[in-house]
Amino acid sequence: MDLVDTHCHLHFKNFGIDNDQAYKDSVEAGVSRIICVGTTLKDSQSAIEFAKNKPGVWATAGVHPHEAEAFEKSADEPNQLAELLKQPKVVAIGEIGLDYYKSETPKLIQEKALRSQIETGLQTRLPFSFHVRDAWKDFWRILDEYRSVRGVVHSFSSGTKQLDMALSRGLLIGLNGIMTFTKDQAQLDAAKVVPAEKLLLETDAPFLTPLVHRGEVCQPKYIVDIAEFLAKLRDVSIQELSSQTTTNSIKLFNLQ
């Protein structure tokens, strides 16, 4: 079985357990590829450094919507992002997006940062990793103003309406441990019908630990538990799910 964790933060200095050991454990568990996702420019640089000498590990660069105010205050940050996106093993722009859930960052600031990062990212032809929470209407409005945007809606936890909106725009869907403990049937219904060729797996480690490991720090190796849950939910074999999602990951992020 060959699995890919398309979104985690294994590079975090406060990951909670030894980062290098967690990487080794993931390889032993059959997770052949891992993408470490940046949340600020400094954090993105850490992700790049972490991935540099590790086979099967890549990085992204971007600024999370919660950090959008700092990005907008600095006239040079878009240029810094552009430079980070040129670094070896950087495979996407992210995570970027909108988050209106208990956010202290003004919506207008989030929108400006999102637009700036999309415009910077489009020059690279890399895919995007989008974070969207309680902000779908504004997100679709903004996204529809740009052409040739490829990417994934990370940590998708909505229903079939937003799923259809994402699919109609050619985006892939990233599912993680939320599916193992959600009590929202609409989320599970959507997870069941994501087209196989549009599905990606992720852990978002160290967050969103799957139900079977609740109380522990989430790790990339737990992608196995997420895959097993989704295979059962979708009534397919784990081998089929593994093969398809790995193919999807390699294609979107060019994980050569």
Side-chain angles (χ1 to χ4, degrees):
M1 186 164 58
D2 181 12
L3 291 163
V4 182
D5 185 352
T6 61
H7 191 117
C8 73
H9 306 281
L10 185 56
H11 61 286
F12 275 3
K13 290 180 171 57
N14 59 344
F15 187 76
I17 56 177
D18 183 80
N19 311 63
D20 289 330
Q21 187 60 52
Y23 163 65
K24 293 175 184 176
D25 290 345
S26 69
V27 174
E28 291 182 5
V31 185
S32 63
R33 299 170 179 85
I34 295 171
I35 300 177
C36 292
V37 175
T39 57
T40 66
L41 296 189
K42 183 177 180 180
D43 182 61
S44 297
Q45 184 62 57
S46 295
I48 294 167
E49 290 298 322
F50 185 82
K52 184 179 293 184
N53 298 315
K54 292 181 175 63
V57 181
W58 288 266
T60 76
V63 178
H64 189 286
H66 286 171
E67 309 294 337
E69 198 154 10
F71 183 82
E72 276 302 297
K73 282 183 177 178
S74 172
D76 192 48
E77 289 222 355
N79 294 328
Q80 293 178 41
L81 174 61
E83 289 303 310
L84 288 175
L85 294 174
K86 297 176 184 177
Q87 297 298 310
K89 301 194 86 173
V90 172
V91 294
I93 302 96
E95 62 187 284
I96 68 173
L98 301 174
D99 191 330
Y100 296 167
Y101 179 77
K102 295 183 179 179
S103 177
E104 296 180 0
T105 306
K107 294 179 180 180
L108 183 58
I109 295 295
Q110 291 192 39
E111 178 169 338
K112 287 181 177 179
L114 174 59
R115 288 181 178 278
S116 178
Q117 292 182 92
I118 290 176
E119 289 162 12
T120 299
L122 282 174
Q123 299 176 44
T124 70
R125 298 187 179 180
L126 292 172
F128 294 85
S129 177
F130 290 116
H131 171 112
V132 188
R133 191 172 187 188
D134 292 356
W136 292 107
K137 184 177 180 180
D138 283 349
F139 178 71
W140 297 131
R141 170 179 58 81
I142 295 165
L143 194 68
D144 287 347
E145 294 181 24
Y146 298 94
R147 300 178 64 181
S148 304
V149 174
R150 300 183 302 119
V152 56
V153 180
H154 136 73
S155 194
F156 185 84
S157 55
S158 191
T160 54
K161 177 182 178 180
Q162 301 305 336
L163 173 62
D164 290 343
M165 297 283 273
L167 295 175
S168 70
R169 290 161 174 82
L171 297 175
L172 278 71
I173 305 297
L175 297 181
N176 55 39
I178 289 176
M179 294 301 116
T180 69
F181 56 77
T182 184
K183 298 186 185 305
D184 187 342
Q185 187 59 45
Q187 294 178 5
L188 295 173
D189 290 343
K192 289 179 184 178
V193 297
V194 177
E197 69 276 10
K198 294 293 186 179
L199 179 62
L200 298 180
L201 302 180
E202 58 171 72
T203 61
D204 203 19
F207 313 112
L208 306 178
T209 308
L211 182 61
V212 69
H213 297 290
R214 292 301 274 178
E216 302 175 23
V217 174
C218 190
Q219 306 176 49
K221 70 178 183 179
Y222 294 162
I223 205 78
V224 176
D225 302 283
I226 295 166
E228 289 175 347
F229 177 88
L230 288 173
K232 184 175 181 180
L233 178 73
R234 293 165 61 87
D235 194 26
V236 298
S237 70
I238 185 67
Q239 290 79 14
E240 180 180 344
L241 186 78
S242 170
S243 177
Q244 182 67 68
T245 55
T246 295
T247 296
N248 298 344
S249 304
I250 293 171
K251 181 178 179 181
L252 178 65
F253 296 109
N254 192 27
L255 302 181
Q256 304 301 329

